[in-house]
Amino acid sequence: MEELQTKLLEYFNEQKRNVTIEEANEVFKDSYESDDILTAIVMLEKQGKIFRNKKNQFQVWHNGIGRIYGTIHITSKGAGILKDEEGNVTFIHRDFLNGALNGDKAIVREIKMVKDRQEGKVEKIIDRQQHNVVCEVTSFGGVRKLKPLIENEDLKIKVPQVDLKQYYEGDLLLLNIDLERQDEYFIGNIVKRLCHKDDPKSDIITIAATHGFDFDFPDEVKEELKLVPKDISDREDLRDKIIFTIDGEDTKDIDDALSLEILPNGNYKLGVHIADVSHYVKPGTAIYNEALKRGTSVYML
């Protein structure tokens, strides 16, 4: 795929005009499948190496294109900061984010200097980094609406009323939102109900869900856990010893422990106990695959 991307980039660079996907297909059809060509073009666009206009025509990025490609960072006040690959910064007022979320790859246009800073507007979101958005169900005039719990609260998300009927005011829902906007709204798909906003752990649940962490385990993992053998005949049994964990109260992994014995000669024997996770997590199993996703513990303070 990298070789195809390189060839496509060279081809686009040689052209002195905008190029359509059909034209690119015609040039490379003898060597590559059309699906591969389309995939490579989309990848080049997401990398900010080519630009697609409203007519679905492509060209290589250059200084005179009047646009900037970069990563959006949302401030605590809901405004946006776009940084390009060279580290240049463009400020984006919250009214001009056009649905961009923190971490999104986007194109900014109408660049101008306001006082001592460069400002612009988001023209197009190229790659959505934050697909999951937590929304609170609100009610106005008997109509249920969604309030995004993110820095950019001006983001407008629409879900069919029939899908919201089963939820109550104050429920927190996890939604997956589309990349493209329809009118002023992004279409949201309800993934699941997380909790109610009055739940004592709602803040932690919201943060975790927004960043893609799941409190629940897949059904196939739960089923495999039921099959984990409880026989320890082939292992050293230390259950009669006084062994205490050194992990904190809020730990996510209780896997380190110590023990201390006084030997008959008066010496002390320190035992260091580390959980043998590999004994239970076997490659190719659902437990193993889920462990790969959760390989790093996250503490949300």
Side-chain angles (χ1 to χ4, degrees), residues 26-296:
E26 188 64 28
V27 172
F28 294 97
K29 67 180 182 180
D30 293 336
S31 302
Y32 300 96
E33 297 291 335
S34 58
D35 287 346
D36 292 334
I37 296 172
L38 176 60
T39 299
I41 290 175
V42 171
M43 291 175 69
L44 286 172
E45 182 187 13
K46 288 185 177 182
Q47 294 166 12
K49 295 180 179 179
I50 59 176
F51 169 72
R52 177 174 54 170
N53 62 24
K54 294 181 179 179
K55 296 181 180 180
N56 284 328
Q57 299 169 332
F58 295 86
Q59 67 180 107
V60 175
W61 275 98
H62 57 81
N63 293 332
I65 203 169
R67 294 168 174 83
I68 298 175
Y69 170 89
T71 303
I72 298 285
H73 301 276
I74 306 298
T75 69
S76 59
K77 294 183 179 180
I81 301 292
L82 181 131
K83 290 185 178 180
D84 63 20
E85 293 182 348
E86 297 178 355
N88 299 315
V89 173
T90 302
F91 178 82
I92 306 165
H93 190 277
R94 62 184 304 161
D95 292 339
F96 301 140
L97 282 168
N98 290 328
L101 301 177
N102 194 56
D104 285 353
K105 304 292 185 181
I107 294 173
V108 170
R109 63 178 176 81
E110 295 188 16
I111 313 301
K112 60 182 179 180
M113 294 300 297
V114 179
K115 295 183 178 179
D116 294 328
R117 71 183 181 191
Q118 183 169 272
E119 296 191 6
K121 299 179 180 179
V122 173
E123 178 181 65
K124 185 177 183 180
I125 301 167
I126 298 299
D127 192 14
R128 178 78 80 187
Q129 298 297 303
Q130 185 178 329
H131 290 278
N132 292 329
V133 176
V134 177
C135 294
E136 177 187 337
V137 178
T138 62
S139 181
F140 182 78
V143 178
R144 288 182 174 83
K145 296 186 176 182
L146 294 169
K147 175 186 176 183
L149 301 184
I150 54 177
E151 297 93 341
N152 181 14
E153 293 184 355
D154 291 336
L155 178 69
K156 295 181 179 180
I157 302 175
K158 180 185 290 185
V159 170
Q161 283 293 305
V162 66
D163 293 340
L164 286 175
K165 278 187 176 181
Q166 59 182 305
Y167 302 106
Y168 298 94
E169 190 168 356
D171 280 347
L172 300 184
L173 308 180
L174 179 65
L175 279 80
N176 187 283
I177 61 174
D178 291 346
L179 182 65
E180 301 291 340
R181 183 167 53 182
Q182 297 182 14
D183 297 326
E184 59 181 328
Y185 289 93
F186 284 87
I187 303 301
N189 302 294
I190 299 175
V191 178
K192 63 180 176 179
R193 177 187 182 276
L194 297 172
C195 62
H196 192 273
K197 69 175 183 179
D198 294 333
D199 188 304
K201 295 182 179 180
S202 63
D203 288 346
I204 293 178
I205 293 173
T206 298
I207 294 172
T210 299
H211 290 84
F213 298 105
D214 197 344
F215 281 85
D216 298 325
F217 287 89
D219 291 338
E220 56 267 29
V221 172
K222 295 177 182 179
E223 291 301 315
E224 278 191 3
L225 287 173
K226 296 177 183 178
L227 302 176
V228 173
K230 295 181 174 56
D231 179 25
I232 60 170
S233 58
D234 62 338
R235 306 180 69 81
E236 185 176 359
D237 190 348
L238 301 176
R239 288 179 294 180
D240 62 333
K241 305 291 185 181
I242 299 177
I243 301 175
F244 50 93
T245 180
I246 61 172
D247 292 304
E249 185 176 340
D250 64 341
T251 188
K252 303 296 185 296
D253 307 290
I254 302 178
D255 53 7
D256 301 310
L258 296 175
S259 63
L260 190 64
E261 296 179 63
I262 301 178
L263 302 177
N265 63 4
N267 290 338
Y268 289 85
K269 179 181 179 181
L270 174 67
V272 179
H273 308 270
I274 309 297
D276 184 9
V277 178
S278 62
H279 180 74
Y280 301 96
V281 182
K282 302 298 184 182
T285 63
I287 294 176
Y288 180 88
N289 293 333
E290 190 67 16
L292 287 177
K293 299 177 184 178
R294 300 170 181 258
T296 302

